[in-house]
Amino acid sequence: MKPAPSFSLVARVLHWLMAVMILSMLFIGVFMASSLGPGYHRLVSLHRPLGIAILVLALLRLTYRLRHAPPPLPSDLLAVLKLAAKGSHILLYALMVALPLVGWGMLSAGGYPIPLWGNGVLLPPILPHNPAVWSWLRSVHTVLAFTLFGLVLAHIGAALFHGLIRRDGVLESMTGRKTPL
């Protein structure tokens, strides 16, 4: 038996690095939204550069994915599940790019400086100062973050479905573990 095809090492490293970063970012965002005082400022100082790092890595990952096709899904997988997998991946990539951009735009519209790693590097504003736009983007950022959280949970559920129920090699293709077909 030959092992199921797997993602390249680069794709796997980007996936797992971003998985940790995105989960961290989602929890930091939740705690940030419910914190006051010095704890809030520490979380914000983590949230901003992490968001930009996720944006940069998402763009790198998307570029890599467009140049290196993922392994095919199992041929016996229902067409509706293949469509759901493709659609959810498109939405994941869209959110990994959109959320940091919306956050950056929100801070720009709010007139807030966007420091990365202290005050040594400031990102330029990408929108003019406008409190109404800031308020609207803050709501959009929240909705997109909860959407991403739900999609991440569905993604984890799908991975577990493939790994524990179907045992079809899909989960192993991203973990690097070789499972015979």
Side-chain angles (χ1 to χ4, degrees):
M1 289 187 167
K2 65 179 182 164
S6 66
F7 285 87
S8 70
L9 178 61
V10 171
R12 291 193 317 265
V13 167
L14 284 170
H15 175 274
W16 292 108
L17 176 62
M18 291 194 68
V20 168
M21 292 171 71
I22 288 168
L23 286 172
S24 298
M25 180 63 111
L26 289 168
F27 285 108
I28 288 169
V30 166
F31 290 123
M32 202 171 72
S34 62
S35 298
L36 295 172
Y40 172 81
H41 295 293
R42 264 187 304 238
L43 292 171
V44 167
S45 70
L46 289 171
H47 193 77
R48 290 175 183 168
L50 191 54
I52 296 303
I54 287 170
L55 174 61
V56 169
L57 286 175
L59 293 172
L60 285 172
R61 188 171 172 199
L62 182 57
T63 301
Y64 187 84
R65 172 114 181 205
L66 292 172
R67 293 175 183 244
H68 302 88
L73 290 169
S75 58
D76 65 337
L77 191 65
L78 294 175
V80 69
L81 294 179
K82 288 181 181 180
L83 183 63
K86 183 175 179 119
S88 67
H89 279 96
I90 290 169
L91 191 52
L92 276 168
Y93 279 101
L95 289 169
M96 288 186 291
V97 171
L99 254 167
L101 287 174
V102 169
W104 187 354
M106 175 186 71
L107 292 172
S108 298
Y112 296 106
I114 308 160
L116 298 180
W117 300 281
N119 288 322
V121 177
L122 291 176
L123 291 178
I126 58 173
L127 291 175
H129 178 71
N130 183 326
V133 171
W134 174 84
S135 177
W136 181 77
L137 287 175
R138 186 164 189 222
S139 296
V140 169
H141 193 67
T142 301
V143 168
L144 291 178
F146 280 115
T147 302
L148 179 60
F149 192 66
L151 195 55
V152 165
L153 291 176
H155 187 73
I156 292 168
L160 292 174
F161 170 72
H162 283 285
L164 300 175
I165 308 240
R166 283 188 48 95
R167 297 176 189 230
D168 56 11
V170 172
L171 176 61
E172 289 79 8
S173 73
M174 188 48 81
T175 63
R177 187 170 156 232
K178 302 293 182 196
T179 301
L181 287 175

